Amino acid sequence: MTREQNNLTPLAGGGTGKAKLYTGLECHLCQLARDILDEVLGPGGYREVCISDNAELKETYGTRIPVVASANGAEKNWPFSTGQVRRLLAK
């Protein structure tokens, strides 16, 4: 499957960890969100999902990105801190 088909941005270590980070192209806040998730989970400890090529994801997340989602489906819109992400993922 290509990147375009699954809307995943390749990350070190496969990026299949405990959270998803919904991002978009040319999103300056998304880099700040990546930095926070890298600090909390380590590089590759989360899956990055680019919404740009997916109409359904654009409708859901288009005005909210970056958004971090835990494995249980809980979500936090930007802005968020390292502490907020840790609490979200502990639920």
Side-chain angles (χ1 to χ4, degrees), residues 57-85:
L57 291 177
K58 279 170 105 171
E59 184 167 326
T60 302
Y61 296 105
T63 61
R64 299 171 44 204
I65 60 169
V67 176
V68 63
S70 68
N72 69 7
E75 295 180 347
K76 177 74 174 113
N77 299 340
W78 186 261
F80 46 80
S81 66
T82 55
Q84 289 172 318
V85 170

Side-chain angles (χ1 to χ4, degrees), residues 9-63:
T9 301
L11 295 173
T16 59
K18 300 177 182 180
K20 288 183 184 176
L21 178 62
Y22 293 96
T23 64
L25 299 176
E26 300 181 26
C27 170
H28 67 283
L29 297 174
C30 295
Q31 184 57 53
L32 299 174
R34 283 183 202 98
D35 293 343
I36 290 171
L37 266 72
D38 285 349
E39 183 177 335
V40 172
L41 296 172
Y46 58 95
R47 175 179 277 173
E48 185 173 339
V49 180
C50 182
I51 68 166
S52 297
D53 295 329
N54 184 307
E56 185 178 334
L57 291 177
K58 279 170 105 171
E59 184 167 326
T60 302
Y61 296 105
T63 61

Side-chain angles (χ1 to χ4, degrees), residues 1-8:
M1 198 178 281
T2 68
R3 178 187 170 288
E4 291 77 21
Q5 289 171 317
N6 66 17
N7 292 314
L8 296 180

